[in-house]
Amino acid sequence: MRFLLTDEQREFGRSLDALLTAADTPAVLRAWAAGDHGPGRALWGRLADAGVFALAVPEAYGGVGPLPVEAAVACVELGRHAVPGPVAETLAAGVLLAGAGGPVAEKWLPGIASGAAVVSLTLEGYGPYAPDADAADAVFTVTGDELRLAPGPGEPSASADPARRLFRPEPGGAPVAKGPAIRAAARAAGDTAAFATAALALGCGEELLRATVAYVKQRTQFGVPVGSFQAVKHRLADTLLGLEFARPLLYGAAVELASEVSRPGAGAGAGSAEGSSGAGAAVAAAKVAAGEAGYAAARTALQLHGAIGYTEELDLAWWLRRARPLRDVWGTPSACRARVLAG
């Protein structure tokens, strides 16, 4: 397979990069971590105006999706700029609610597409925590074949990323949908969350590498830039290779997901037991590759920056703290490898 992004897809990525560069995301991150969600919600609205969250919502509910390739392009840029908020979870919720259908889809999907609704969720098999539940307008949980709306975000738990707080949603809440379709929709939503997280991790790794290359060109030792040392060049080259090997896996998974959605009879809740294994394995491969590459980029960045790398004053610290959680959430490396082998 020979796959290249179209001119329109590349321009979409460039437009998001320009939007986020002008938004000063480090300042937004600091506010979000301090509990001030106002700047983050304002940025969320501008991203929604650019069509980001409509990519996972079917046209019948005011979206333009599902469009996995464009979603990958968007999430890589959001990862490069470390946009706060439950990005992967909101995109996954779009798939989940579309599969559920009925009143819950009609109520929430238009708001997700327009950016008016920020959503977090938990799914069986992926851990009990809902990221950024305190900033979400809704927190959905799936248990068996029941979809529930949590009555509250619950208590916060420790998180390595202060701008990505974890909550165990309050138990209870009346079911808003139930039946076999919920199980299939939850499988598709889990794949979407893992896929979006892989793209975020790839973007995070790209920014860590870019910042590190710029730094080693400026930092000197023995009268020359440390970037001229062969050992430093080799470390950066290894980091670049990891990221570049992850990229085709990510877009390959996007093609698999798009093919699954377009299968006859797949419908809005694609992800049935019959059709999810191929796309699921491709998503798992992309997730482990991008997650490991992003985390390796963080380790390289920290080593080559030295102690200054993890200081609060340096914006790099926000990307360093994000790389490992992105590697582990929505499918740890070991779980993803097991799924690839099973697939």
Side-chain angles (χ1 to χ4, degrees):
M1 176 184 294
R2 182 175 183 271
F3 176 77
L4 293 172
L5 295 176
T6 65
D7 291 340
E8 290 79 6
Q9 290 164 343
R10 293 179 185 276
E11 182 56 34
F12 179 48
R14 286 192 291 267
S15 67
L16 291 177
D17 178 43
L19 185 159
L20 293 169
T21 299
D24 188 16
T25 53
V28 176
L29 277 166
R30 286 184 167 86
W32 191 275
D36 178 7
H37 301 132
R41 289 296 296 253
L43 177 58
W44 193 278
R46 293 198 293 274
L47 290 170
D49 290 341
V52 170
F53 302 108
L55 296 172
V57 176
E59 293 183 13
Y61 298 100
V64 297
L67 295 174
V69 176
E70 285 76 7
V73 171
C75 286
V76 168
E77 292 302 326
L78 269 60
R80 285 207 310 117
H81 291 273
V83 172
V87 172
E89 292 74 23
T90 296
L91 292 173
V95 173
L96 174 66
L97 298 179
V104 66
E106 295 171 358
K107 177 178 180 180
W108 288 101
L109 285 178
I112 289 175
S114 69
V118 176
V119 177
S120 192
L121 80 164
T122 65
L123 300 174
E124 280 187 311
Y126 290 101
Y129 299 112
D132 296 308
D134 61 329
D137 299 297
V139 179
F140 291 99
T141 65
V142 175
T143 304
D145 61 357
E146 287 190 341
L147 171 63
R148 295 175 180 266
L149 180 60
E155 292 297 319
S157 299
S159 174
D161 182 356
R164 183 180 169 84
R165 302 176 67 195
L166 301 177
F167 292 80
R168 188 187 292 265
E170 292 181 7
V176 293
K178 62 174 60 177
I182 299 303
R183 290 182 182 270
R187 284 193 294 271
D191 285 346
T192 299
F195 171 71
T197 302
L200 293 169
L202 179 62
C204 180
E206 287 181 346
E207 176 56 21
L208 285 163
L209 179 60
R210 184 207 63 79
T212 305
V213 169
Y215 181 72
V216 298
K217 289 180 179 179
Q218 298 174 356
R219 180 184 173 190
T220 61
Q221 192 172 18
F222 308 118
V224 297
V226 297
S228 65
F229 300 159
Q230 190 172 30
V232 172
K233 291 180 179 180
H234 285 179
R235 186 67 186 267
L236 293 170
D238 288 343
T239 302
L240 176 62
L241 283 174
L243 294 168
E244 290 303 319
F245 272 108
R247 191 184 314 279
L249 290 175
L250 175 69
Y251 287 109
V255 172
E256 288 282 355
L257 288 171
S259 298
E260 183 174 294
V261 170
S262 64
R263 283 186 300 106
S272 65
E274 295 81 11
S276 63
S277 61
V283 167
K287 177 64 168 60
V288 69
E292 295 282 31
Y295 182 52
R299 296 178 64 181
T300 296
L302 183 57
Q303 180 183 18
L304 298 185
H305 276 82
I308 193 176
Y310 55 79
T311 58
E312 290 286 348
E313 291 77 14
L314 193 68
D315 291 340
L316 183 80
W318 295 98
W319 280 260
L320 289 173
R321 290 173 171 176
R322 181 152 295 195
R324 183 162 184 171
L326 289 176
R327 184 195 71 170
D328 295 338
V329 74
W330 295 111
T332 63
S334 59
C336 288
R337 289 188 177 97
R339 191 173 186 189
V340 171
L341 291 174

